[in-house]
Amino acid sequence: MAFNFFKKNKDKEENKTTPAAATTSSDRYMNLTVADIIQETKDAITIVFEKPANGINYKSGQFLTLILPINGKEVRRAYSLCSSPFVDDQPAVTVKRVEDGLVSNWLPDNLKKGDAVKIMEPMGVFTTEFASTNKRHLVMFAGGSGITPMMSIAKSLLTQEPDSIISLIYCNRDIESVIFKSTLEKMELDYEGRIHVIHVLDQAPMNWQGHSGLLNHDMLLKIFERIPSWGVEKTTYLMCGPEGMMVNVQKLLEEQKIEKSKIFKESFVAGTIDKELKAEGAEPSSDEIVTREVTVIYSGEEHKFEVEPDTTILEKALDLGIDLPFSCQSGLCTACRGKCLSGKVKLDEEEGLSESEIEEGYVLTCVGHPLTDDVVIEIG
């Protein structure tokens, strides 16, 4: 019943399955055909893919990495699956335009039905296992396109766990920017009493009866009064959206004495939520980054190479033509995650890893630098 925690990057704009031992790098990729493009709002589209002949296995809350040829270069971006493997026959992702976003603007302007899109296998650990015997309450806080993984999880939970319920607090700029508005309304009707959606609008219309303005402390207190109380053991809190929103939510949850083990968050951009909540005055690291040799084991092959101070382990591998898995290159999506078997690695960004993953020795090669001469990393 526990969720895992992952982060991902969406064009710095604005989702991990573990492959079998015999998996090769080529098995991580496939081509999907665009079956439909749905205009959700003025700025958001849902891309529905045809189900491949061999099928596609994914979990609710995971993401697809789209690999696109833009301006003569291969560009990768990760987008959450808004579909559910239990409900939807075809996988789908939702993309929202972002100012100056390379991919988020290219897709709605150029992608057409029938186009083939290269993707990496579904990844991400913002997931949970579903069981008909579960009885739990998921409290979801979403902002803007942060609704996408929540939609996937909500569809699955409502169909697979008849005794579980959802409270969704969904923040948007205005009523026209609410993604999946009609779908959410239908879900409330179809599953009456099991999903409760509370909309929060920055700019509310004159006849708006709900909450308006930013999701601040006082508003959160009022919203919490409307959320069913199922007790600590049966309630889990999820959040995905702008950093400011998640900071406010996490601060209130801490104020309410909610255990960290019951709180899970996902971020689409490199964030500061944990940094802002950490105590100040931490001692800076004295580790020096210099040129060192590393060994990377991937798909049964061992690669040895030197990594310079101004280069990450992934960057150097790609420069040498070693096809390691990656997506965001910002330390968020975990597509490049590997286990450090020996040595020490410094990460520029740790937000994509949970505390337990860090304790187990996992590192992210896209933001990793070797600190010792005996670094060995195994991927996959």
Side-chain angles (χ1 to χ4, degrees), residues 289 306-317 319 368-370:
I289 299 176
E306 288 190 340
V307 180
E308 291 77 23
D310 59 347
T311 305
T312 66
I313 296 170
L314 175 66
E315 287 172 339
K316 186 62 177 183
D319 287 344
H369 306 270

Side-chain angles (χ1 to χ4, degrees), residues 275-339:
K275 295 185 180 73
E276 289 191 22
L277 295 171
K278 286 179 181 177
E280 298 181 0
E283 289 294 326
S285 173
S286 59
D287 293 317
E288 182 182 4
I289 299 176
V290 299
T291 299
R292 299 182 188 276
E293 184 180 74
V294 302
T295 299
V296 176
I297 303 170
Y298 177 55
S299 294
E301 297 184 6
E302 186 175 290
H303 306 276
K304 289 181 180 288
F305 51 90
E306 288 190 340
V307 180
E308 291 77 23
D310 59 347
T311 305
T312 66
I313 296 170
L314 175 66
E315 287 172 339
K316 186 62 177 183
L318 296 177
D319 287 344
L320 294 173
I322 304 170
D323 187 22
L324 297 184
F326 74 95
S327 180
C328 74
Q329 292 186 276
S330 298
L332 301 175
C333 75
T334 74
C336 68
R337 189 189 78 153
K339 191 167 187 177

Side-chain angles (χ1 to χ4, degrees), residues 7 26 32 42 110 116 156 186 212 222 243 251 295 299:
K7 289 176 166 271
S26 61
L32 296 184
K42 181 182 68 173
N110 295 275
S156 297
K186 187 175 186 302
S212 61
K222 293 179 182 179
E243 290 299 311
K251 285 181 177 178
T295 299
S299 294

